[in-house]
Amino acid sequence: GWVSPMCQYSCDPDDAPGVPNDWHLMHLGSFAAGGAALILTEAAAVTADGRISPRDAGIYTSEQAAAWERITSFVHRHGSAEAKIGVQLAHAGRKASTWWPFSGRHGSVPESDGGWATVGPSPLAFDGYAEPAAMSGEDIEGVIRDFAAAAVRAVDAGFDTIEIHGAHGYLLHQFQSPLINTRSDSWGGTEAGRNCLMLAVVDAVRAVIPDSMPLLLRISASDWAAGGVDLPASVRLAREAAEHGVD
């Protein structure tokens, strides 16, 4: 069986932001010891401002990659003969810099408490969160490069597969959804434009990982809201993603 990504909100935000630690080794390693065939990590942010919360994991530094390598090595040593582990690459966009579930608070973390300014396709806030800054074309190209750089770190850290997080209202899904993406440039305006970032990230990641490495893409099949992403649109996206190298 597969173990799906589960955010742990357990990184040390002060001394080792974004660095997986003993908790993550125990959490993920226990599934390997129990015989899971494939384990997927929690969302690992490709930039510091892409973390869901200050306590979330990342893979945007060499220190973080080295900590992940400790975990992949454990899985390969102590799991079943065929045990595999994959990393979920993510950027939370306008849903970043939020309080973690057991903090007792809700909404955006202010900069005075270790939070940061967020970004998105348009300056539209998620309910109860701070308003994000609309990303420039340069910002968008930078995020694509960040996904590719994170994929290189993931391969070097010993991961067997990569899942791109394009679901759950995070950045790539924000660009996909007409309810959130109100841009009129090439990164919005039409279904093809709204899907452009998702597919550009797929292309960038596919280009830097081994041909033999499976590439996964997680999407939310429906926004469950009038005028949002629906099942036919997701079917079209899935078919196009496959042509771009998603397995």
Side-chain angles (χ1 to χ4, degrees), residues 36-55:
L38 175 63
I39 302 158
L40 293 175
T41 72
E42 64 193 271
V46 300
T47 63
D49 67 352
R51 290 171 295 158
I52 301 167
S53 84
R55 297 183 66 92

Side-chain angles (χ1 to χ4, degrees), residues 43 179 186 215:
L179 298 177
S186 60
L215 179 59

